[in-house]
Amino acid sequence: MLFLNGPCPGKTDHRGSCQRETHYKPGTKMTDSKYFTTTKKGEIFELKAELNSDKKEKKKEAVKKVIASMTVGKDVSALFPDVVNCMQTDNLELKKLVYLYLMNYAKSQPDMAIMAVNTFVKDCEDPNPLIRALAVRTMGCIRVDKITEYLCEPLRKCLKDEDPYVRKTAAVCVAKLHDINAQLVEDQGFLDTLKDLISDSNPMVVANAVAALSEIAESHPSSNLLDLNPQSINKLLTALNECTEWGQIFILDCLANYMPKDDREAQSICERVTPRLSHANSAVVLSAVKVLMKFMEMLSKDLDYYGTLLKKLAPPLVTLLSAEPELQYVALRNINLIVQKRPEILKHEMKVFFVKYNDPIYVKLEKLDIMIRLASQANIAQVLAELKEYATEVDVDFVRKAVRAIGRCAIKVEQSAERCVSTLLDLIQTKVNYVVQEAIVVIKDIFRKYPNKYESVIATLCENLDSLDEPEARAAMIWIVGEYAERIDNADELLESFLEGFHDESTQVQLQLLTAIVKLFLKKPTETQELVQQVLSLATQDSDNPDLRDRGYIYWRLLSTDPVAAKEVVLAEKPLISEETDLIEPTLLDELICYIGTLASVYHKPPSAFVEGSRGIVHKSLPPRTGSSESAESPDAAPSGAPPSEQPAVIPTQGDLLGDLLNLDLGPPVSGPPVATSSVQMGAVDLLGGGLDSLMSGTGFTAPSTVMPANLGPPPSSGLGDLFDLAGGVGTLSGSHVAPKTVWLPAMKAKGLEISGTFSRQVGAISMDLLLTNKALQVMSDFAIQFNRNSFGLAPAAPLQIHAPLAPNQTVEISLPLNTVGSVMKMDPLNNLQVAVKNNIDVFYFSTLYPLHILFVEDGKMERQMFLATWKDIPNENEAQFHIKDCPLSADAVSSKLQGSNIFTVAKRNVEGQDMLYQSLKLTNGIWVLAELRIQPGSPSFADLELSLKCRAPEVSQYVYQAYETILKN
């Protein structure tokens, strides 16, 4: 936990004053400095004699000397028994010193530490509450298993002590003891006592009890210790007004983990937390902001109170920026998150983020970032004037960021684009090298956002070509030349000038140069054939970089097999770039909002990314928004019949990059740039690099001699992604329909290996049933299998086990267990599965469609009331209608047959001679599908079925219908 500003989170005595642990710190008084100046040797013996002296003062002096030696790193553990003997004293100062020594050496002298137990027990009953608290605090700090059980009785008494100072100290001791021996604490019933302390009359006891329970709950996330309810929340809110600032932080952090039952309760809590925003301690302010940001999710934006809360949140955040620079930085990092989540809070506070001349660079850069996030049409003139001023500063990093910010403003606020471009041109005229380079980088982005609008500035950019020495600027300039080659008369000369030092350029520049020259060749083929030959040769023959080599090979293949396709791929229309490219991904942002005021909010990373071990870290998320239409419209929201832990997994859209094929040892490396359009068949690209020799030998473009198997079915736009990405998960139940095996990979396309297969779900487990036949003349061995990322995360749950080599003409039957916790990527069609099989001969690829009913799980039966409520809750536009003709089954037979494949009948009724079945099913990723099946009698033995499906993810309906048809007609 990171606490910000304010005094140290120490302990508060029963008089209310805040102090650090009350242990004695040598050297804090002027008179004690003498204990640190001694250089005597052989003093252990002398100290031993002094510790056993009858005179109290001499004894105290000796203990001070021991503590001083211990503090500077000398080993004084030999004096353990003598120091422990000094515990029997009424002198509070001496007792503190001895306890300090004890905490330091108890771990290295556990047998000796047992000697001190009696004194602890005795001190826990001392009339002085300070001594009782001191004893219980020291007990918690002695991390020795042997003596923990002796401490239970004194701790129990202190938890029920009449003095609140002792009780609050004992509460913290329970958390420390739990860390040493969790089972002991649970057996002794200390956790229940701790829960009782939440109702204590003293606010500091409540705060420490909350802090202790929170710490224990963090290390045991499943324990549900802080079982908060409206009554306990009310007690915490009452204590909030009276306890110290650190107590307030503990309570606010606890409140942030509570889920109010409705928007009214959320508003009530917000009203009582809002006064904390005016607290002097910035940690309290940020903890209060965290609670409000979380609970605002539950408030409707139409409420007057919502607008009031937004206005109340701005002033405390602005006030945080008047603190010292380090605190400003922490505040700015938190504000950055808040602005991304709710920019309306600070939309009128732009001036606060203007940079001051004496701000440290880390504060300047953070302010700049927030300025861009807050930029809008209303304030853009003000922002641009500031940014232009910053671009003339002396701090190079700051100037670079300011120039980049001008470009980001142009992309974000379209009305300002022209003004931004003229500002950038003014900056280029300054001829300051790093300013020019940054300007070129951002102008490239402006061209991407507003094509055919500002290309008149290209001539000015080309004038500065010679001054570019940074890879990013050179790459940007090369991109501009390649993209607008038809408008630049000497484009080939410009690119050729870069080609002269090709091997000295960075990878970024080399890749950009390769693409730019290929673009130039496709636009002006007659003049640049020699240039493109030269760059492809440099990229493929002379380069060691696999990315560059593979991109070269792919361009070479494209140009040699189908120049028209090459033109479609390389010169495809580019999507416009988005205005905010550096926004934090929404689910991560929601999690970070839950960690405002902690290190996670400064790093902009979840705790699991930087806390070692990450034991017990629970991923937090914001409560679902209520009182708005969002919840009803979201196709990913779980239906009310789904348990909260089983919300449907969001299917991410398909990525652009070819994945890492190399989790298995597959021989030649597989890598390369994205295939930009699905019109290029995968078969035309030899991803494994075979057959490139023929390209190397000739000077002209020749067709590749070997190609990849084209049996990929309908390939999704990104080609083969992450084919080798192992993972694990399971389904359930027997009786599911199994289709007959079909040939997935013919022998002629796999060098003699024929693969037939089908999918099944038996006794709750999904499997891929394979038939492998060797139709080649050589033995096959070393089989392995992998799946590409797919819509439902299907992945092998075990390796492909073929125990003996597969001899010629031999067939082997295998059942490969599957699970559904692999990598997820939305496919087209949704049930498309791309597979790679490897053996000692080669790697072979094929794709197949799996029936969706293998993903129907056994707990898919919904209660009637829940079914009715969910059906009404799902929008009507999500309903899909289908017809199944000539079904040879009665209503009961239909119901029974579908139940075998985990499609459950919730209710049945007969309306005007037609049977109506109401059914539910659930997919492995938690998506529920509800069905209404109307059975209309047709010819004497056949019926026509009308199927209505409702689902929050309507794209699955088509595939569910296919499953119905397959099951009922087989």
Side-chain angles (χ1 to χ4, degrees), residues 332-391:
L332 287 164
R333 292 293 281 175
N334 280 277
I335 287 168
N336 200 324
L337 296 175
I338 292 164
V339 164
Q340 286 185 54
K341 184 70 186 168
R342 298 197 185 280
E344 64 270 28
I345 292 176
L346 289 162
K347 66 180 177 186
H348 300 305
E349 305 291 344
M350 175 64 85
K351 282 191 175 173
V352 182
F353 301 103
F354 286 175
V355 171
K356 295 177 187 154
Y357 75 95
N358 58 349
D359 280 338
I361 181 66
Y362 53 88
V363 170
K364 285 179 175 177
L365 295 177
E366 207 56 42
K367 279 185 173 179
L368 207 50
D369 207 29
I370 295 169
M371 277 171 67
I372 300 159
R373 296 204 193 287
L374 291 175
S376 65
Q377 202 176 334
N379 57 25
I380 194 72
Q382 214 178 6
V383 173
L384 274 180
E386 278 288 308
L387 292 176
K388 192 171 182 183
E389 194 69 34
Y390 300 160

Side-chain angles (χ1 to χ4, degrees), residues 418-437:
E418 199 156 331
R419 186 186 276 170
C420 291
V421 171
S422 67
T423 305
L424 289 167
L425 286 176
D426 291 347
L427 291 171
I428 288 174
Q429 299 307 336
T430 63
K431 301 291 182 190
V432 177
N433 188 280
Y434 54 87
V435 175
V436 171
Q437 306 208 57

Side-chain angles (χ1 to χ4, degrees), residues 20 30 55 90 131 177 192 202 251 372 376 387 404 426 434 442 546 601 635 655 658 740 765 802 830 890 901 906:
R20 192 64 169 133
M30 287 299 289
K55 293 177 183 171
D90 298 331
I131 289 181
L177 197 59
D192 294 328
N202 185 287
I251 290 173
I372 300 159
S376 65
L387 292 176
R404 209 158 272 217
D426 291 347
Y434 54 87
V442 297
S601 67
L658 288 173
I802 300 177
L830 207 62
S890 67
S901 293
V906 176

Side-chain angles (χ1 to χ4, degrees), residues 475-486:
M477 194 64 225
I478 290 166
W479 181 89
I480 291 168
V481 173
E483 189 66 17
Y484 300 102
E486 67 279 13

Side-chain angles (χ1 to χ4, degrees), residues 754 770-775 806-814:
E754 181 177 280
L770 297 168
L771 202 66
L772 273 63
T773 306
N774 182 357
K775 295 189 176 179
L806 197 60
N809 295 317
Q810 187 183 350
T811 297
V812 63
E813 203 161 346
I814 301 139

Side-chain angles (χ1 to χ4, degrees), residues 440 461-468 474 477 481 494 497-498:
I440 286 173
L461 302 184
C462 291
E463 290 168 16
N464 294 280
L465 211 87
D466 298 335
S467 64
L468 306 181
R474 287 172 77 81
M477 194 64 225
V481 173
L494 295 176
S497 67
F498 283 105

